[in-house]
Amino acid sequence: MLRSAGALLSLPFFESLFPARVAAGKEIAKPPVRLGIFSVTGGTVLESWKPAEAGPLAKLPSILRPLEFAKDNITVVSGLSHSGRSENLNAHEHCALLHLTGATSVKKEGGKFFAGISVDQAAAQAIGKETLLPSLEIGLNGGEKNYSFRSRDSVVPYEGNPRLIFDRMFRGRQPVAPNWQRRAAAGATANSEPPTNDSLDRGVLDLVLSQANDLRRGLGKGDQQKLDQYLESVRSVEKRIAFTEARQRQDLLDLATPGSSKLTLPEALPKLGTPIWEITRPTDQDPARHADYIRLMADMLVLAFQTDTTRVVSVAVGNDDCMFPGVVTVGYERHCHTLEHQGNASRPTDADPIAREACRQIHAWYTQLFAETVAKLQAIDEGGSSLLDNSLLLYISYMADGGHGRNDYPVVLAGKAGGLMKGGRHLAYEKAPMSNLYLEMLNLFGIPTEEFGDSHTSRFAGDLNGRLPGLV
């Protein structure tokens, strides 16, 4: 992938959609695989999350019980940890910066955060060129919690306004579910069609390129290099325009002969211009409003995947400062952050049992909302397979536990990743870097990766060589 002036170089759309081919040379009608990351706050209560034994899943622990209906489509992974060092960070910032990066070290310097590329952005850089948006980062994020990084010093902001997210996905186009069978059948023909030259943008670019090439002959070597960099950015824009035009043509054909899945558009979007605090502040005090917000964000993920707007979505849900009246039914405390500290200790037996039960109730509540998302994906037919079959969802917390722990994170993988993942399992590793999971995920998406974060340098690296045996 090449970047310049905010543009992204794209490979031809149809070729990369259908990499599998039969012997006769005809393309197989197969939807792409999507990556979703669903991050919650506050860690978990491990004894109510982690199955007692490795191997086939039997009865799920109480926090995971909302996923019982999808047990054959989930894999519980335990024993994964982060070991990256921190500099000038508080405990929440430390956990957040390690969360999806697995960096060997993270820090804050001059008010700026430094970590490493995150797994979602590594995936987006490779497969994001095949969609209108390389990735989406949505939900409650920022401040102490920064999960996604394009590079060591480039934090990716999350959008918390559902209206703006929807408008970004569908500005200037009508939502439509791709007809994967038709696209596969027409892919070779459509891919061979020459681009049209009737757009104003393309005409301006042609003129710029022509004049720049004439100018180049009269420049010195240094100025020629500057001009080459400029031309590279212009060509990137040109390629993006060509990609967008090709996608628009495909969307029009899909509108005429839509795919088998039916779109459900969100009905409760905020009015345009609504301040973000009016949207997010009620989630801090009212669990019902909080749940509605999470459902709306999850619907954005589903819609983004279903319309192939992007194949990489990171959703940040929850807030350590939320109140949970009605969700928590024990004791008197309802403030999540307070409960996290009271309910966690170096040994669970030393923690306040009432606060620990309250934390268990909160995380079962989060899982119920994640399970609703899984059910929606499972119900969407993409022509013989479900959207869940063609996705891999990572359900995780940015802390291992509410005491800022970074050992033995709660991890669930949902979906079959296009048939590459087998569910119904608990994979229990004695000690392994979380980065190994991210490395395995990238390879699962066809992104050759030998090292990610601290996969080879963590104190938990051992002789795993950056891998998680048995995962794939």
Side-chain angles (χ1 to χ4, degrees):
M1 179 191 302
L2 297 176
R3 292 178 182 275
S4 186
L8 189 71
L9 286 179
S10 306
L11 293 176
F13 179 71
F14 304 107
E15 215 172 281
S16 53
L17 274 181
F18 309 104
R21 301 175 189 273
V22 295
K26 294 182 180 179
E27 295 183 342
I28 297 174
K30 188 176 181 181
V33 181
R34 293 81 153 186
L35 172 63
I37 300 177
F38 202 93
S39 299
V40 302
T41 57
T44 194
V45 177
L46 197 61
E47 66 271 18
S48 299
W49 169 289
K50 185 176 177 179
E53 298 179 353
L57 289 175
K59 185 177 180 180
L60 293 177
S62 62
I63 291 178
L64 296 182
R65 208 157 293 158
L67 289 165
E68 186 74 32
F69 74 96
K71 187 163 61 178
D72 292 341
N73 282 312
I74 67 170
T75 296
V76 181
V77 185
S78 62
L80 305 184
S81 303
H82 284 301
S83 63
R85 305 181 306 277
S86 74
E87 180 183 339
N88 197 30
L89 298 170
N90 66 38
H92 287 269
E93 292 169 335
H94 185 190
C95 290
L97 267 59
L98 291 178
H99 173 40
L100 297 180
T101 68
T104 56
S105 64
V106 293
K107 68 178 181 178
K108 182 165 59 177
E109 186 176 294
K112 188 174 183 178
F113 291 114
F114 295 83
I117 189 169
S118 53
V119 63
D120 59 323
Q121 296 307 300
Q125 287 182 11
I127 64 176
K129 58 195 169 203
E130 301 172 3
T131 51
L132 290 169
L133 299 179
S135 62
L136 272 179
E137 298 77 31
I138 59 178
L140 299 172
N141 197 251
E144 292 182 332
K145 304 197 309 295
N146 293 277
Y147 300 156
S148 297
F149 282 74
R150 290 193 181 93
S151 62
R152 177 161 172 75
D153 62 349
S154 180
V155 178
V156 181
Y158 279 53
E159 178 56 64
N161 186 330
R163 164 63 67 181
L164 297 182
I165 296 167
F166 185 86
D167 290 348
R168 182 185 175 199
M169 288 198 289
F170 301 113
R171 183 182 296 115
R173 69 187 186 102
Q174 184 175 340
V176 59
N179 184 329
W180 296 111
Q181 287 80 4
R182 184 200 59 74
R183 288 194 180 196
T189 302
N191 216 28
S192 64
E193 291 178 356
T196 60
N197 293 300
D198 54 358
S199 75
L200 177 61
D201 288 336
R202 187 178 299 282
V204 171
L205 286 171
D206 288 342
L207 180 61
V208 169
L209 288 171
S210 174
Q211 292 178 343
N213 285 326
D214 291 339
L215 175 64
R216 191 179 193 281
R217 289 188 288 269
L219 297 177
K221 187 175 181 180
D223 285 337
Q224 284 184 358
Q225 290 178 344
K226 291 180 182 179
L227 181 60
D228 287 343
Q229 292 174 351
Y230 169 73
L231 292 178
E232 179 182 329
S233 68
V234 172
R235 291 188 185 102
S236 296
V237 174
E238 184 180 38
K239 287 177 179 287
R240 194 64 189 173
I241 290 172
F243 169 85
T244 302
E245 290 174 348
R247 177 59 187 264
Q248 289 171 340
R249 291 194 294 271
Q250 287 304 308
D251 284 351
L252 288 174
L253 292 172
D254 286 333
L255 285 168
T257 56
S260 54
S261 65
K262 182 180 179 181
L263 294 181
T264 301
L265 301 181
E267 299 179 353
L269 291 174
K271 293 181 180 179
L272 195 63
T274 303
I276 186 63
W277 61 266
E278 286 189 14
I279 299 169
T280 60
R281 185 177 294 173
T283 68
D284 291 342
Q285 304 295 323
D286 184 350
R289 298 282 295 275
H290 192 174
D292 287 342
Y293 179 82
I294 293 174
R295 289 188 181 103
L296 193 50
M297 287 293 156
D299 286 346
M300 294 297 172
L301 175 147
V302 173
L303 195 58
F305 285 171
Q306 191 180 7
T307 58
D308 201 37
T309 300
T310 184
R311 298 174 191 170
V312 181
V313 179
S314 299
V315 185
V317 303
N319 187 324
D320 292 305
D321 279 327
C322 286
M323 301 293 289
F324 283 96
V327 175
V328 174
T329 60
V330 296
Y332 61 87
E333 184 60 67
R334 300 294 180 263
H335 181 231
C336 185
H337 196 193
T338 302
L339 291 168
E340 288 170 5
H341 283 276
Q342 292 177 347
N344 285 277
S346 56
R347 295 181 302 178
T349 53
D350 294 336
D352 180 340
I354 295 177
R356 197 161 181 83
E357 168 59 17
C359 290
R360 187 201 66 79
Q361 292 178 338
I362 291 171
H363 290 292
W365 181 83
Y366 280 132
T367 304
Q368 176 60 49
L369 293 165
F370 175 70
E372 292 177 13
T373 307
V374 171
K376 290 176 181 178
L377 293 171
Q378 192 174 54
I380 294 174
D381 174 47
E382 293 202 298
S385 59
S386 72
L387 186 49
L388 182 63
D389 291 333
N390 300 315
S391 299
L392 181 69
L393 300 184
L394 171 63
Y395 178 48
I396 191 171
S397 175
Y398 84 99
M399 297 189 291
D401 59 63
H404 315 136
R406 297 183 296 280
N407 293 316
D408 207 356
Y409 277 75
V411 174
V412 165
L413 297 171
K416 294 182 178 178
L420 298 176
M421 275 292 294
K422 182 175 69 173
R425 304 175 293 161
H426 171 212
L427 298 177
Y429 298 95
E430 184 176 353
K431 286 183 180 179
M434 180 66 74
S435 294
N436 290 24
L437 173 64
Y438 299 153
L439 185 150
E440 293 280 16
M441 289 167 59
L442 292 172
N443 280 285
L444 189 68
F445 275 78
I447 306 167
T449 308
E450 295 183 358
E451 185 174 354
F452 187 87
D454 64 355
S455 59
H456 290 268
T457 59
S458 167
R459 68 176 184 269
F460 306 116
D463 58 359
L464 293 171
N465 197 31
R467 309 310 291 256
L468 292 179
L471 179 66
V472 179

